[in-house]
Amino acid sequence: MSVFSHDAFDGHEQVVFCRDAESGLKAIIAIHNTSRGTSLGGCRMWPYANEEEALTDVLRLSRGMTYKSALADLPFGGGKSVIIGNPQTEKTPALFHAMGRFVESLSGRYVVAEDVGISVPDVETMSKETRHVAGITAGGSGDPSPATAFGVFEGIKAAVAFKLGAPDLKGIRVAVQGLGHVGWELCRLLHEAGAQLIVADLNRQQTQRAVEWFDAQVSAPDAIIREAVSVYAPCALGATINDASIGELRCAIVAGSANNQLAEERHGALLRDRGILYAPDYVINAGGVINISHEKRLTGDKPYVKATAFAHVARIGNTLTEIFEIAERKGISSAQAADSLAEQRFKRAGHRKAA
Ligand code: NAD
């Protein structure tokens, strides 16, 4: 297994392989870029089939955090960690103590938070060994989902204004796929703003609640992507924009919280060719990490103030408008425009640091 020549290596500053015999921990911490500040990113626990798969995942995820933080105007770089193991059956306190010690050994170059397979109590166990943690309940900002939903809501407003010239969301039809932590809160905000909702979830009780609470129309999980709407908001799974689905979309805008919405990078250009405006996922779904960045343990001294954090989240709308304008001016996809704007920001910060 190569590391420096790995396809996803992309100039990572540091990759740490962690092994603790006593607890059985096998983990990788990847630090992509710290030119804007210490690296911040969640820890994922997943039963990877092999080490190669775990390495690929952590490298891609940590690179993604560099771009996300740069476009969210955060004073952080990109990092991520993965624990190889089944989160349903292999979690022990010893495992998370060992992980915390490895995070501590990096002396603050990496700050860990939760991600898929890792919950707040797991990070709290790590915090017994290191103070370089974020997103825990004690002294923290709590569940990031409402902030994520608010950021997506602001992003949808910006996309609707740009693409449709509409001043607000009154009467705008939005298809929300997934009514979980983010999707439900997003529906609440959209409903309040006068949007018409079409929803889908595997959980029928949840869709029924949406009918009662938000006057939503229900679609089938495999049909929602084909609904004729202004906005398709994927808030469940990734990779819903793929070769099979792209020709079937009947929306003007794709804007939702799901990570990795494009199955492959080239699907960003295909959306553009179809005249569909895409709000790049890592830009529109950054509300959670923006909210966490306002925690006292990350600001250094200032206590968390929800209004300040949410005002920062609301700036996602302006960032997206800037990205849409760049894409239009340069004749490139919004996904490419987002990447190049992020690169300018973290490379410029790197030059400042080096000077
Ligand atoms: P969640 O697990 O709370 O909710 C997901 C919902 O999607 C569930 O209700 C589930 O039943 C439903 N679902 C699953 N498969 C579906 C399908 N095929 N069709 C329709 N519905 C389906 O997750 P969440 O925290 O709400 O996150 C949603 C998405 O946003 C995920 O992709 C997540 O990675 C991403 N995201 C979340 C946050 C956050 O703050 N929670 C931040 C950034 C990105």
Side-chain angles (χ1 to χ4, degrees), residues 44 68 115-116 143-149 152 176-184 199-203 206 220-222 224 234-238 240 256-261 281 284-289:
R44 180 168 288 195
K68 187 171 202 158
D115 195 77
V116 176
D143 177 9
S145 309
T148 303
V152 175
V176 180
Q177 180 178 40
L179 300 176
H181 289 96
V182 179
W184 182 266
V199 299
D201 197 290
L202 301 179
N203 179 342
Q206 196 69 341
D222 59 352
I224 186 130
C235 297
L237 315 166
T240 57
S257 74
N259 280 313
N260 305 321
Q261 292 169 28
D281 47 14
I284 196 169
N285 74 12
V289 73

Side-chain angles (χ1 to χ4, degrees), residues 26-257:
K26 269 191 184 173
I28 311 174
I29 301 173
I31 298 175
H32 177 248
N33 186 293
T34 58
S35 60
R36 290 179 64 86
T38 191
S39 70
L40 169 67
C43 175
R44 180 168 288 195
M45 183 165 183
W46 195 254
Y48 295 101
N50 52 51
E51 287 156 29
E52 175 86 43
E53 219 181 66
L55 178 65
T56 304
D57 208 27
V58 77
L59 291 176
R60 286 194 183 143
L61 291 166
S62 75
R63 175 182 184 273
M65 285 306 297
T66 301
Y67 283 72
K68 187 171 202 158
S69 287
L71 286 190
D73 263 334
L74 302 182
F76 297 112
K80 204 89 181 187
S81 56
V82 295
I83 295 177
I84 302 172
N86 187 333
Q88 311 296 338
T89 56
E90 292 180 69
K91 282 186 179 181
T92 61
L95 194 82
F96 296 121
H97 275 278
M99 187 67 190
R101 287 194 295 275
F102 279 112
V103 172
E104 180 62 19
S105 75
L106 292 168
S107 309
R109 273 178 56 73
Y110 169 64
V111 176
V112 66
E114 54 274 12
D115 195 77
V116 176
I118 294 289
S119 61
V120 172
D122 303 333
V123 182
E124 280 168 348
T125 307
M126 292 183 211
S127 76
K128 298 200 166 36
E129 304 286 348
T130 179
R131 54 198 174 86
H132 305 300
V133 299
I136 60 177
T137 313
S141 55
D143 177 9
S145 309
T148 303
F150 179 60
V152 175
F153 174 68
E154 291 295 319
I156 289 177
K157 284 200 295 193
V160 163
F162 188 86
K163 178 79 182 167
L164 308 174
D168 55 41
L169 298 179
K170 281 195 194 81
I172 298 284
R173 277 165 67 82
V174 184
V176 180
Q177 180 178 40
L179 300 176
H181 289 96
V182 179
W184 182 266
E185 175 65 9
L186 175 64
C187 285
R188 194 184 66 74
L189 294 168
L190 290 168
H191 178 64
E192 258 177 32
Q196 288 176 18
L197 296 174
I198 305 181
V199 299
D201 197 290
L202 301 179
N203 179 342
R204 279 179 158 210
Q205 271 178 329
Q206 196 69 341
T207 50
Q208 194 45 43
R209 276 180 72 209
V211 173
E212 287 157 21
W213 287 48
F214 309 131
D215 202 15
Q217 189 186 319
V218 177
S219 181
D222 59 352
I224 186 130
I225 195 161
R226 292 191 294 275
E227 298 287 354
V229 289
S230 293
V231 184
Y232 161 56
C235 297
L237 315 166
T240 57
I241 309 294
N242 51 47
D243 285 340
S245 69
I246 205 154
E248 300 191 315
L249 290 169
R250 291 200 291 156
C251 56
I253 294 162
V254 175
S257 74

